[in-house]
Amino acid sequence: MNDQTTPAETSRAPVLPDAQTVTSVRHWTDRLFSFRVTRPRSLRFRSGEFVMIGLLNDNGKPILRAYSIASPAWDDELEFYSIKVPDGPLTSRLQHIRPGDQIILRPKPVGTLVHDALLPGKRVWFFATGTGIAPFASLVRDPETYEKFDQVILTHTCREVADLEYGRQLVEGLKDDPLIGEFVGDKLSYYPTTTREDSPKTGRITDLLQDGTVFADLGLKGLDPAVDRAMICGSLAFNKDMQEILEAAGLREGANSDPGEYVVEKAFVG
Ligand code: A2P
């Protein structure tokens, strides 16, 4: 096989397994950044899925973590949204990547936050905290989301206003997007909340659901298992609290092999 290797490839060091090249990096806060990488030509994925990505450590061993793909399936590149953990084995290094650098990307997408795991419905809720918005950044850019549902509600709860910015800009750009704008139309409602800084809507989404604020704000009666579908992505505690709220409303958890009224996945941390 090596006789097929071009001179450019042999001179690149170190040669990473499953290497992809970073095309852009954006730092949103001192704790959050997003980046885009080249997409392996053979990689097919469903919006909402995750892959393993990483870097080599000092001993040349790969450090890999699960990352939701934040870009839609039709995009030429892959986008990821990450927290920076100062002593995190991967993110302490990953936060320093620059365009032209290489990362490892194992091209085996998996995950439950996919349309196939939900039964048909009228309205879909995407409930996110922190970097848990990543799979929904993919799904809100996927025409299938708007073909399958009359209404799409993206909620995002973060500590501070600056933590919402990635999602805010994403949503703001959707309506005018030449590829997806006409699908989105007026179907998408964006519901950002903060918990540790004042903003137009403060409080945990869980509390705002339980006291009825969300429904009053959106002009809805409540959750109805015949109509509402949901996807949850955040911390373990958030996922658990959200599941209790959805189960109490009569929604059942689904999976790829057994679609239901809601699905849940833990956001990447560390
Ligand atoms: P809070 O500030 O009240 O903890 P983190 O940065 O810790 O991952 O949290 C991201 C956001 O998720 C914060 O706004 C946080 O609110 C909120 N959050 C954390 N745990 C829960 C939970 N169990 N239910 C609802 N929201 C939560």
Side-chain angles (χ1 to χ4, degrees):
M1 289 304 279
N2 278 348
D3 57 356
Q4 306 264 326
T5 311
T6 64
E9 277 166 336
T10 47
S11 65
R12 203 192 292 139
V15 176
L16 294 176
D18 293 329
Q20 294 302 321
T21 304
V22 177
T23 57
S24 64
V25 183
R26 182 148 179 202
H27 294 270
W28 297 88
T29 70
D30 56 5
R31 292 180 64 234
L32 294 165
F33 71 115
S34 61
F35 55 96
R36 293 173 68 86
V37 305
T38 51
R39 176 173 175 171
R41 222 171 274 163
S42 60
L43 178 68
R44 298 274 174 275
F45 68 97
R46 295 175 296 172
S47 295
E49 288 187 312
F50 64 84
V51 287
M52 303 301 288
I53 65 172
L55 295 170
L56 295 181
N57 70 10
D58 292 337
N59 301 323
K61 225 181 128 236
I63 321 167
L64 297 169
R65 294 288 182 273
Y67 268 83
S68 291
I69 302 172
S71 46
W74 49 261
D75 201 327
D76 288 343
E77 294 181 340
L78 298 174
E79 183 175 310
F80 299 97
Y81 183 51
S82 179
I83 197 159
K84 306 174 193 177
V85 180
D87 52 1
L90 178 60
T91 62
S92 61
R93 293 165 178 267
L94 195 63
Q95 64 180 285
H96 300 297
I97 54 167
R98 288 162 173 270
D101 289 350
Q102 298 205 322
I103 66 158
I104 305 164
L105 190 149
R106 301 268 191 255
K108 293 193 177 60
V110 285
T112 57
L113 302 181
V114 291
H115 282 300
D116 292 343
L118 287 183
L119 293 167
K122 287 209 164 72
R123 185 160 51 225
V124 67
W125 298 77
F126 296 143
F127 294 109
T129 60
T131 55
I133 194 173
F136 306 137
S138 176
L139 283 155
V140 297
R141 290 186 268 188
D142 187 337
E144 188 181 359
T145 299
Y146 304 95
E147 284 163 1
K148 292 214 152 133
F149 294 97
D150 296 338
Q151 191 178 6
V152 179
I153 303 169
L154 170 64
T155 84
H156 192 200
T157 298
C158 291
R159 296 182 185 192
E160 297 175 5
V161 173
D163 304 336
L164 294 169
E165 195 56 17
Y166 171 78
R168 196 192 66 76
Q169 288 193 21
L170 172 84
V171 170
E172 197 179 77
L174 277 183
K175 278 192 182 151
D176 300 325
D177 188 296
L179 287 171
I180 183 80
E182 65 181 283
F183 293 96
V184 181
D186 53 9
K187 285 186 169 182
L188 178 65
S189 303
Y190 173 53
Y191 198 88
T193 84
T194 56
T195 51
R196 303 197 192 183
E197 185 183 7
D198 267 349
S199 72
K201 190 58 66 179
T202 54
R204 290 179 164 198
I205 193 69
T206 42
D207 294 334
L208 299 170
L209 285 164
Q210 277 168 317
D211 70 10
T213 304
V214 178
F215 305 113
D217 286 342
L218 297 173
L220 302 173
K221 289 208 178 82
L223 295 169
D224 176 354
V227 170
D228 290 288
R229 302 292 172 260
M231 297 193 186
I232 310 168
C233 189
S235 63
L236 274 182
F238 171 71
N239 290 357
K240 185 173 154 290
D241 290 351
M242 270 309 311
Q243 280 191 269
E244 281 173 16
I245 292 171
L246 297 182
E247 295 272 350
L251 280 73
R252 288 173 308 109
E253 184 174 1
N256 275 284
S257 55
D258 181 19
E261 280 105 26
Y262 78 88
V263 282
V264 57
E265 207 149 71
K266 192 172 159 293
F268 171 80
V269 279

